[in-house]
Amino acid sequence: MNNRFAKTAVMLALAALSTVALAQSTLDTEPPGRVGRVSLAQGKVSISTGVGDTATEALVNWPVTTRNLVTTAANGRTELCIGSTAIRVDGDSSLEVTELDDDSVRLRLHYGSASIRILSEDVLPEFELVTPQGRVRMLQPGRLRVDVGRVRDTSVVSVFDGEAQVDGGGDSLTVRAGRSELLRGVGKRGFGG
């Protein structure tokens, strides 16, 4: 009987320790305060948890967060919504969500085209889109489109509404509504015409 009591006490102690460990790990991996979602998926659209990871088919209302990589086939397109901000990704494109939390929305367009609409001024300081040729930040709410690699080693930033700051090769330029700017090369200095 004493042996049975000792075994029960050990089992209860182990159960208590595992419960405490599980509770601590849950606190350490608290879910993000802000999550985007797939609001449109047409054609072949895949999403993975990071570059090089196995991709799965993206479905409408699929959650999007930090380290997600969204890739579209030539006949696909998708739209991601993060609050009132919308990011449309055209066919044959790859967009990585490098950071998405309460303080920032940082994206990396590896190749292809993305159209961004920012409605709220509150989002402006936290938004950034990086391409192999530079970085784009919105200075005013509005709409812009970024094309990467449609012409080898270039990014084109076209602003439709609002104003954007484009940084590349150590230079910085403000692009106003109705204007486009071409960024050339990887790590080269300056802008194209």
Side-chain angles (χ1 to χ4, degrees), residues 2-191:
N2 250 349
N3 194 16
R4 181 183 252 174
F5 178 74
K7 285 181 182 179
T8 303
V10 167
M11 293 300 284
L12 286 173
L14 288 174
L17 284 173
S18 65
T19 302
V20 168
L22 180 61
Q24 183 61 40
S25 73
T26 301
L27 290 175
D28 292 342
T29 59
E30 187 175 314
R34 179 164 51 174
V35 176
R37 70 180 182 88
V38 175
S39 60
L40 170 79
Q42 293 180 335
K44 185 169 172 54
V45 179
S46 58
I47 190 167
S48 63
T49 55
V51 177
D53 290 346
T54 303
T56 58
E57 181 182 354
L59 303 172
V60 173
N61 290 325
W62 193 276
V64 176
T65 188
T66 299
R67 291 186 307 277
N68 281 160
L69 179 68
V70 178
T71 307
T72 58
N75 66 343
R77 67 183 179 131
T78 189
E79 181 179 73
L80 311 175
C81 287
I82 302 167
S84 64
T85 300
I87 300 114
R88 283 192 165 234
V89 182
D90 278 351
D92 192 26
S93 299
S94 177
L95 178 79
E96 181 181 359
V97 180
T98 56
E99 190 175 335
L100 176 58
D101 56 30
D102 292 335
D103 302 320
S104 60
V105 177
R106 297 189 196 289
L107 309 171
R108 179 171 183 83
L109 186 60
H110 294 279
Y111 61 87
S113 301
S115 298
I116 295 111
R117 182 191 74 215
I118 297 178
L119 297 176
S120 172
E121 286 190 18
D122 295 338
V123 176
L124 296 175
E126 44 190 62
F127 178 81
E128 176 180 271
L129 179 100
V130 174
T131 75
Q133 288 74 36
R135 178 177 65 175
V136 180
R137 290 180 288 160
M138 292 292 288
L139 300 175
Q140 295 175 355
R143 293 180 309 121
L144 63 82
R145 178 183 171 103
V146 179
D147 297 291
V148 173
R150 298 297 188 201
V151 174
R152 187 179 168 97
D153 292 333
T154 65
S155 292
V156 178
V157 178
S158 303
V159 178
F160 302 110
D161 297 312
E163 209 172 67
Q165 179 177 334
V166 180
D167 301 319
D171 293 330
S172 185
L173 182 68
T174 299
V175 182
R176 291 178 171 70
R179 306 284 300 181
S180 294
E181 192 58 46
L182 174 70
L183 288 79
R184 296 177 192 250
V186 180
K188 293 183 181 175
R189 194 163 169 77
F191 297 97

